[in-house]
Every structure is written in structure tokens, then in C-alpha cells.
Amino acid sequence: MGRYLLRRTFVLALSLIAAGLVLFVLLRLLPGDPSAALLSVGADEAQIAAAREQVGSDLPIWMQLGKFLSDLARFDLGKSFVSGAPVLPEIMTRLSVTLPLTVASFLLAIVIAVPLGIVSALRADRWYGGLLSAVSQLGIAVPVFWIGILLIWIVAVKFRLLPASGFPMKGWEDAAGAFRALILPVVTIALVMSASLMRYVRSATFDVLGADYLRNARALGASFPQALIRHGIRNGAVPVISILGIELASTLLGAVVVERVFALPGLGSMLLLGIQQRDYPTVQGVLLVSTLMVLLIGFLADVIQRLIDPRLRETVAGR
Amino acid sequence: MKKTTLWIGAILVGINVVIALLTLVWLPYDPTAMSGGRLAAPSWAHWAGTDRLGRDYFTQVMIGARIALTVGVGAALLGGLIGTTLGVLAAFAQRGFDDALAATLDILIAFPTLLLAMLVVAASDGASLGTAILAIGIAMSAIIARLVRILTKRVLAQDYITAARCSGLGWGRIVLVHVLPNIAPTVLVAIALQFGLAVIAEASLSYLGLGAPPPNASWGQLLQSAQSTVFNAPIGVIAPGLALMALVLGINFLADGLRDLLDPERGAA
């Protein structure tokens, strides 16, 4: 396990560097000069040259790359072209909205999807088993923002139970307000996420039910629930955890849509604004931090799988 | 039971296709002209009411079906083409290149389609139908490429490939005659499932204001502008959402049905 961790950490670091390079190249492929964000229409030559110098796009590409890497090594993500504020502190502020939103939705989705998914497989022949799998079919066919809008309409506009959108100006200092602002978005993401999660849990449960080890455990005298808990969950969890990792990563990055629906000042809306304003440092910074988190989640998912299933530890990393 | 899924899917998708084709030759109202009061409730004259400018809403939802299908089909074709080509090439490539490509694909797949699509839209000069197709197609191709790479490697390890090589068949012919026909069923089903996701991704892009501009208003854009008037005219958020759900549900059912039909081994599991 120790050697595996070392090896996997090395792969993690390599992937991060590779992702940074890919991002650098991608953003330089964008048409137009990044300095355009600083200039007004009809700027003269001198103004353009000054803006290019300020942004650094007058340097040759290899010097830009060198600066990019050395800044990165010092955790300096640069300053926004639009507001002039450093990017990293802004990302941290935004994360105080996006992280609780993502983690709470993720946990709620697990709480909903795991029991319902198991039930829908165990009771596939009953009406409610069928109903559950039909509902999850519907759930994967709708965009998350539609559920959000419907919830706003019913819960916030019709019954006025919760705020329709926005986040308190003071952030988490107004804890009650922040909490209330996040309830609807969390429920929205959790509902849509649990629909797809339920399908994976359901098929993992079917696999477990047909497995020899479950029949053997029953033959050795374990009751059905005992066999399921001692052997089924441990075995069934392995494929589900890698799906969970992917789901968590895509929720984190997909928060952009839900943040727009509920007008939340999170990482996603920062990225959207950055894209609309062609604010390179902002887009680059948000994507770098998101990539880091996605890679970390993948890392954790791999390690947890190995902890649960000793058989995986024998195989070579990543293959 | 299995056949029912295929049929329900075919009917739901069929209705959408017919409506999309119909909008090319006939529309109930001029989509840009005022034809009733503002935010009118549904009536016989206006099945889904009118929008805040008094334009017939049902007409706009009908046009949305055309946009959704255009982008969905375009992205599925593009993603399928790029993905299959990359996947086959990776399966044949030298170890180093293959490993690098596999790792890159894994990173790309970790990012949701929508995020990659946002970047492609950002990289192009303005949002249009073309950028939406390109964006979603490119994002999709990573998923298809990974699948094709694995499937192709599996086929290439078979004895009949060795036999074909011994009888003097070139690699190009082997790909055409042996590899592609063998992997086609699984890849087609995967593309069909991606098609449904592409429709959702397109709606999300245009909800964020990164999709095709009006008059090519898609369901996502209709939902975005109807959100602020949901209190007065809830039909504005219900109609496009239901249409979208019907189409994606239809596509998913069609994909499931196809899998049972084309790929009995996986379908039975």
C-alpha cells in the first residue's frame, strides 16, 4: 500500500503539471490578444503596446510559459484583467460557496440513492421497485437547471418558504441566511445526481445478488441481510466508488449551471463571468484549481477502492 | 418488455423529428411577430400561451425541437467520428503514445461535457449553432475514444486477426473488415446515449447564454427567459422542460432498446 501511495502521488503530481501545460496551450490558442480585455474600442498603437506589456503578451511564448510556471510554483495565479484583484483569494472566497454546495449535495444524493437503489434492485418485481427505476429514468432525462427553476417556482415563489435566489452579502458571517440560501440548490443537485447514482447502485446490487459468494455465505448459515451487509456491500461498493468520484468531480465543475439558476457567487459563476469578459487569469486560475480538485478526488477514489478491496492492491497502478 | 422500450423511444423521438421537420415548412405563427396579449395563459389559439413580448410560445417550443435535434445529431456524428478515429489510432499506437493518450483521455473525461463545451465556445469568436455542435462534439469524442480504444484492443488480440495478418491482409483492411464491424454495436449504443447527454448539454449551454443566439432560440434559452416570469406564466418553464424531457427520455429508451437488439450479451446482464 505504501509503495502504491507513493507511486499514485507521483502520477498525481505529473498529471497536474500536464494539465497545467494543456491549459496554458489551450488558452493561448484562443483567438485575439488577451490585452483586448483592457482596451476600449478605437485604442491607438501606444495604448495597445502598453496593454500588451502590462499583460505580458508581448513576450515570446517560451518566456510566457516560464513566467506561468514560476508563478504557479509560488501559488501566484495572477491578477484579474478586469478588476485588478489577485485571482487566488477570489477563488478561495468563491469556494466558500461552491464547496459546501457540492459536498452537501453529494452527501444528500448518497443518502437518497444508495438505499433506494438497493431497494429497487431487491424488489424489482414489486410495483415500487419498478416505480423507483422509472423515476430514475425520468431523472436522468432532465437538465439540472429545469429542476432548479421548478423548485424555485413551487417552494420559493408559490409558498414563499425559502429565498428564490442570491446569497447573503456577508457570506458565512450570516450563517442562517447562507444556510437558507443553499437549501434549494443543494436539493436540486442532489435530486438529479441521485437519479443517475441510483441506476449504478441498482446494477451493482444486481451483480452482487447473482454472485457466488452471497450464495456461499447463505449456505454457511448467514441470514440474507447478514450476507448482504458483510459481503454484498463491500463487494458492490467498489465499482460504485469510482462512479461516486466522477459524480463528485462533475458536480463540482457542473455547479456553474446551478449557481446561475440561484444567482450564487460561486466558482462556476466566476468562471462564466471570466469567459464572458475574456479575463484570462481568472479562467486559467479557476480551471487550474478545479483540475487540482478533480485529480485529488480521483486519487482519493482509487485509494479508498484499494482499502476496501485487497485484490486491487495486487495489480499495477492505474491499469 | 424489451421491445416496448424500443417502441416508446422510437415514438417519442419520432414526434420530435416530425415537429422539427415541420418547422422547416410550416409554423402556426410567425415566431417574431406579436400575435396575442403579453404572457397570455394557454388557450385554443395559443396552446402554450404567449411570451413577454406577446409572441406565440408553442411556435417557439416547436423551433426548439429543431435546434435540439440539429445540435444533438451534429455533435453525435462529430464526436463519434473523432472518437472512433482517435480510439482506433490509440489502439494501434506504440506504447508511449498510447499511454499518453489514455492518460489525457482520462483527464478529459473527468471534466463534464458542459465545461469543455464552455471552453470551446470561449475559444471561438461568438456563439452559434456551429460552435455548440463543435463544442459538444469535441467533449463527447473523449468518451467515445476511450471506449473504442479498449474495444479495438480486445478485437486485435483475437486469433482471427493473426490469421488475417498471415493471409496477407493489411492493417487498413483489417480495421475496415474486422475491427469496425465488430465494435460497431457497442459504439453505436454509446453514441446514442451520448446523443441524449448532448441535447441536455446544448440546453445548458444556451441557458448560460453560450448557445445559438435568437432566432435560433433553443429550449435552454426559452427556459432562461421564462425563469423571471415564472410567477405570472408558469407554462413558460413547463412547456420547454417537458419537451426536452420527452426527447431525452425517448433517446435513452431508444439506446437501451438498441443495446438489447444489437448487443445481446451486455443487454442480458
Side-chain angles (χ1 to χ4, degrees), chain B residues 1 21 25 29 37 40-41 46 52 63 92-93 99 133 136 140 149 159 175-177 182 197 215-216 249 267:
Chain B
M1 181 58 208
L21 291 176
V25 290
Y29 290 92
H46 301 283
R52 69 177 99 185
I63 295 176
F92 273 100
D99 281 350
I133 293 176
I136 301 170
M140 260 176 65
R149 173 178 162 269
D159 287 340
V175 168
L176 281 181
V177 178
N182 267 304
L197 293 177
N216 286 329
L249 200 63

Side-chain angles (χ1 to χ4, degrees), chain A residues 15-16 18-19 22-23 26-27 29-32 134 137-138 140-146 149-150 152-153 157-158 160 199 246 249-251 253-254 256-257 260-262 268 271-272 275-276 278 283 287 290-291 294-295 318-319, chain B residues 95 98-99 102 104 107 109-112 114-115 118-119 121-126 146 149 153 197 200 203-205 207-210 219-220 223-224 227 230-231 234 237-242 244-246 248-249 252-253 256 259:
Chain A
S15 331
L16 190 63
V22 168
L23 214 55
L26 261 180
L27 286 171
L29 284 179
L30 296 188
Q137 276 281 3
L138 281 182
I140 58 164
V142 294
V144 62
F145 62 90
W146 191 51
I149 299 174
L150 291 182
I152 289 181
W153 171 44
V157 177
K158 262 200 131 108
R160 305 195 174 276
R199 285 163 56 87
I246 295 173
S250 71
T251 315
L253 300 170
V256 53
V257 185
R260 169 83 182 244
V261 175
F262 293 95
L271 178 67
L272 187 64
I275 287 181
Q276 282 162 348
R278 305 242 149 179
V283 174
L287 288 178
S290 327
T291 313
V294 167
L295 292 172
R319 280 275 142 176
Chain B
R95 240 203 100 149
D98 181 34
D99 281 350
T104 317
I107 293 180
I109 286 165
F111 283 87
L114 183 62
L115 198 82
M118 277 171 73
L119 284 183
V121 172
S124 46
D125 267 331
R146 183 160 79 165
R149 173 178 162 269
K153 287 202 146 179
L197 293 177
I200 292 186
S204 308
L205 265 186
Y207 177 80
L208 292 175
L210 299 171
W219 289 327
L223 284 168
Q224 199 265 319
Q227 187 181 349
V230 67
F231 184 67
V237 301
I238 294 172
L242 280 184
L244 182 88
M245 188 170 79
V248 177
L249 200 63
N252 287 348
F253 275 0
D256 284 351
R259 173 166 53 212

Side-chain angles (χ1 to χ4, degrees), chain A residues 27-28 30-59 64 79-83 274 277-281:
Chain A
L27 286 171
R28 263 70 193 171
L30 296 188
D33 195 277
S35 63
L38 294 178
L39 297 164
S40 53
V41 179
D44 61 37
E45 292 288 325
Q47 284 171 321
I48 294 177
R52 278 175 60 98
E53 200 190 328
Q54 189 184 340
V55 169
S57 63
D58 57 336
L59 299 171
Q64 290 187 36
K79 290 189 174 118
S80 159
F81 288 168
V82 179
S83 67
Q277 297 177 331
R278 305 242 149 179
D279 187 355
Y280 284 61

